[in-house]
Amino acid sequence: MYAYNLDTLSGLILVNFLERKIRLNLMKTCCILAGILCLVLACQIAAAGSSNCLDNTKKIAVYLPSTDVVAHDPICTAMFFEYNPDYLTDSTITSNLTKKNYELLLVPDKHMSDKAAKAVNKYLNSGGKVWFFADPRMKPDGSISDNRISILGKPGEIGISRKSNFTVDNTDPITTGLSGSYRSLSTTNKSTYTRAFNPDSGNISGFKYRVLASVRKDGDMLIRFENTKTGAKAIYSNENMFISGGSCNYFSKDTATRLFQNSKSWILGLDKNTYGISITYPKGDKQITVTIDDVMGADKEIPKTRNFFDMEKSKKLANVQDMNTFFIVSEAQTSKSGLEHFSRYGDTHTIHPHRITDWMAGYTVSQFQKNITRAESIMNKAAGVSNYGFSSIRFPNTAAAIPAYQAASNAGFAIDSSYGYYTSMTALGDTQSNNVFFPKQKLLYGKKTNTIEMEVPGYFDICAPNANEFYKKNTAGLKYFKGINFPANYIIAGHIQGMMTKPDLFSNMSKTLDYVSKNSGYTVFSTLDQIAKYNSLKSAKIQAYNTPKGVTIDITTSKPINNFTIKLTNIKKGFKAQYDGTDKCNVINADGVYYVYHTVSPGTHKITVTAV
């Protein structure tokens, strides 16, 4: 037993108190240091790349030159289908293109202003990322200025044809899985801009570069650039190396798709896309729509159109209601029973505004807006509703004025499929362009509109020199449509007074559908209204990540998405797919890929793909 005096006891208590305080402070310090260490590790992991292999929350922008008051995005609407990008033009790029605003800039056009080139250089030097799908060596007026982007080096130009041989450096993450050489599949001899780097790797303007694909000396076609200090990245490429089908594609569908997915993962810092996952159109990439103009939705049209629908039904290509979009000329004869009849066989949520006004006249946007409202009001009254719901418009004849297109956008039309002035002016079947089948975002007055443009064929039925030419023109286009590897549309365009009721055109339309059945591979028929509603997925949050046995897709949406579809291009064995862990997804195996689809209701949901 020990005895302490008061002073000694007080001293021991004080020492104990100080020891406890020191230990407490030490523990706090350790916790703080541990927290800092975790934060540093988290930052390092984040800097190393994303854990997602697909992520549409990353903010991207597309540069389109202000060559006119009308512009169309040639490729990005389709190739970055799950994204809803911003668009920068010459009036906005200087102030808006910053690393804070955008993780990636896409450049799909060879025209670029000096102002835009300066902004792109500044963005790259600040750590931004740029993907060139075209060589931006042309000024908006068509003159050449090929050294404005500091990292691109010496310019070149070569012809690409079926005789061209590609040499590939397949030791890079972008080209992994590819062979070391390829013979071009292009059947068209087409002059193509290139760059000339010697040696094939090195440094330029603060970036490390590496040539990944070339077609001879001065013919560097695919080059990657990186500044590891700032995080800046760039890819110099050509759209024809990523898009299959057409007559100027370089690679097969499998090779082009793999190269695009690898490139996308690298430049966006995504995780490895192990299963080749992408988001596409409902039930499949290739969508065919039969459009029929000059339908009034009148009672007198009911008996004379039944044979056409019986013919479509006999082909067993799809539910007839999913095949047709009728462009309605709304007038006094439009009736509720007439609209109901055509609605049983397709989409009537359209206007084709004949006899309302001269759409080429020099009216203001507000005047055109009133005329569109007038056309809609006739249908609303005939159907006995306050808002029939309109999704697509086709202006009559071959042209409309710019304010008319703006009025259509303001009215909420999601799809335009007109042909003529102020459209992209590219008819289906134009084999010089692999992107001809793509949906294209429309810009007016330098701003993004509410409208996506769909291309139409070179011949509508009644415009062809003869009925057989109508058939031949469609089969020529469908030949190249067969091999496409991105969301794409083919429109077979006719009239009620043409292929629906005129015997020779009716017969050739029947032949065209037989051709689709036998020669187009896997295709899906959808109406333009179905496609317009499906495009709401661009406003949803979509992220996918790899799991030990597969891949999981998280979707958060405020609107229902019918037949939300993912495509898997790199899955070699069986798998099961579930929606929210219990409901089985639909699966289609076609053309060497898998399409997995399920309707997604508003809210947050999960699709899991598990290899078995």
Side-chain angles (χ1 to χ4, degrees), residues 280 283-285 522 565-567 586-588 593-596:
T280 190
K283 300 183 183 180
D285 286 338
Y522 174 68
T565 301
I566 63 171
K567 180 172 70 170
N586 298 287
V587 177
I588 294 173
V593 303
Y594 287 93
Y595 296 105
V596 177

Side-chain angles (χ1 to χ4, degrees), residues 263-288:
S263 301
K264 183 179 176 183
S265 295
W266 179 79
I267 201 161
L268 281 171
L270 297 169
D271 195 12
K272 182 180 179 181
N273 194 346
T274 305
Y275 296 95
I277 186 173
S278 61
I279 310 300
T280 190
Y281 269 143
K283 300 183 183 180
D285 286 338
K286 298 182 296 179
Q287 304 281 311
I288 296 180

Side-chain angles (χ1 to χ4, degrees), residues 73-144:
D73 180 349
I75 60 173
C76 304
T77 311
M79 295 175 70
F80 291 81
F81 187 71
E82 70 271 22
Y83 286 86
N84 188 21
D86 289 344
Y87 285 83
L88 302 178
T89 60
D90 295 327
S91 62
T92 58
I93 190 167
T94 300
S95 56
N96 291 345
L97 182 59
T98 65
K99 186 178 178 181
K100 179 180 178 181
N101 287 344
Y102 300 109
E103 185 152 349
L104 175 64
L105 175 71
L106 306 175
V107 181
D109 195 287
K110 62 186 177 183
H111 296 89
M112 180 177 282
S113 68
D114 289 339
K115 179 190 291 186
K118 184 177 180 180
V120 170
N121 283 322
K122 182 179 179 181
Y123 178 63
L124 283 168
N125 290 333
S126 69
K129 301 171 185 175
V130 181
W131 191 341
F132 299 97
F133 288 93
D135 191 314
R137 67 178 62 180
M138 274 193 182
K139 292 186 176 184
D141 63 5
S143 60
I144 300 295

